[in-house]
Amino acid sequence: MLTMELQRFAVIMVVIMGLLSTIGQSIRFELESGHTKCIAEDIKSNSMTVGHYAIVNPNEGQPLPESHRITLKVTSAYGNSYHNAENVQSGQFAFQAVEAGDYMACFYAIEHQPSLKIPIEFDWRSGVAAKDWSNVAKKGSVDAMNFELKKLADTITSIHEEMFYLREREQEMQELNKITNSRMAWLSFLSLFICLSVAGLQLWHLKSFFEKKKLI
């Protein structure tokens, strides 16, 4: 019995860590001039999201070259724009997602001759990870224990909302599967009916042909 409980606890911890790892991502990549690179983030509705982006200086201690500038557009799955910055070297955005789904952050650099590769550092977080807990700890008058409890409560709330969101997505997929299976069943019956009809017409034609030739 104790082993079963430990296994369940381990599974729950793995799920929690997995969910926490998906609500924030910090990456570094190279953007080739004249090209566009898009990064997607699955965000549920009413969830807070923040992003910071900056061009990494290839020569520390010196100002960034004027050629190192980018354009960033953040849009929802329905094409609504949430952030648009042109010809910048760094920036940030923050908004509360109204629509659930994949949000796209598309970076673009104007074409140069010869071609340039611009290193970019991008930090995009949503949900619990989007909150600046360091500022909360500094501004709050609660002790460390209350701070940790508040952070844990928000994490649990986020996980709870994520589970409901995944359950809704699962129900949508089940409905889609039911509709698809129903349509496939009707299509199968229709195909079978057409095949039987064609076979019957062929038999009738052959019978008529043989009767005309007085073979039967």
Side-chain angles (χ1 to χ4, degrees):
M1 188 68 178
L2 182 59
T3 304
M4 292 280 294
E5 292 295 329
L6 290 175
Q7 289 178 349
R8 290 179 181 176
F9 178 76
V11 170
I12 293 173
M13 290 303 297
V14 169
V15 172
I16 291 175
M17 293 301 295
L19 289 173
L20 290 178
S21 65
T22 60
I23 57 179
Q25 58 175 346
S26 179
I27 59 174
R28 179 178 289 191
F29 60 92
E30 286 187 341
L31 176 64
E32 188 174 353
S33 60
H35 291 74
T36 300
K37 182 177 181 62
C38 294
I39 298 171
E41 177 79 0
D42 186 15
I43 304 174
K44 60 180 180 288
S45 60
N46 299 322
S47 179
M48 188 66 186
T49 182
V50 296
H52 303 270
Y53 55 94
I55 297 176
V56 180
N57 195 341
N59 302 314
E60 294 186 6
Q62 298 181 8
L64 274 170
E66 190 63 25
S67 59
H68 283 51
R69 291 186 176 273
I70 57 175
T71 295
L72 173 63
K73 293 183 179 180
V74 180
T75 56
S76 69
Y78 299 93
N80 296 323
S81 178
Y82 284 84
H83 180 72
N84 188 2
E86 297 182 0
N87 200 29
V88 297
Q89 295 180 332
S90 64
Q92 60 184 4
F93 59 84
F95 59 86
Q96 186 172 8
V98 178
E99 306 149 327
D102 287 334
Y103 284 70
M104 300 291 293
C106 293
F107 294 84
Y108 170 75
I110 61 174
E111 189 172 358
H112 289 276
Q113 294 296 336
S115 179
L116 297 175
K117 288 189 176 180
I118 303 175
I120 300 173
E121 194 169 68
F122 184 38
D123 187 11
W124 194 359
R125 301 181 184 276
S126 61
V128 176
K131 294 187 176 181
D132 190 351
W133 288 105
S134 60
N135 289 336
V136 173
K138 292 177 183 177
K139 295 177 183 178
S141 59
V142 296
D143 57 15
M145 180 63 73
N146 286 334
F147 166 69
E148 291 295 333
L149 289 175
K150 178 175 174 58
K151 186 175 179 180
L152 181 60
D154 275 10
T155 302
I156 293 173
T157 301
S158 177
I159 294 172
H160 190 255
E161 292 176 353
E162 185 74 18
M163 291 176 67
F164 275 106
Y165 173 67
L166 293 175
R167 185 176 297 174
E168 290 176 358
R169 294 291 291 270
E170 182 183 1
Q171 290 177 351
E172 291 176 1
M173 292 300 298
Q174 288 178 353
E175 291 296 327
L176 181 61
N177 288 335
K178 288 180 181 179
I179 294 173
T180 303
N181 292 335
S182 177
R183 291 177 178 176
M184 289 299 297
W186 278 108
L187 182 61
S188 299
F189 283 124
L190 180 61
S191 300
L192 180 60
F193 175 76
I194 293 174
C195 291
L196 292 175
S197 300
V198 171
L201 288 173
Q202 288 179 341
L203 288 174
W204 175 80
H205 176 72
L206 290 173
K207 182 179 179 182
S208 300
F209 175 78
F210 289 136
E211 286 178 348
K212 287 181 182 181
K213 296 297 181 179
K214 297 182 179 180
L215 296 175
I216 57 174

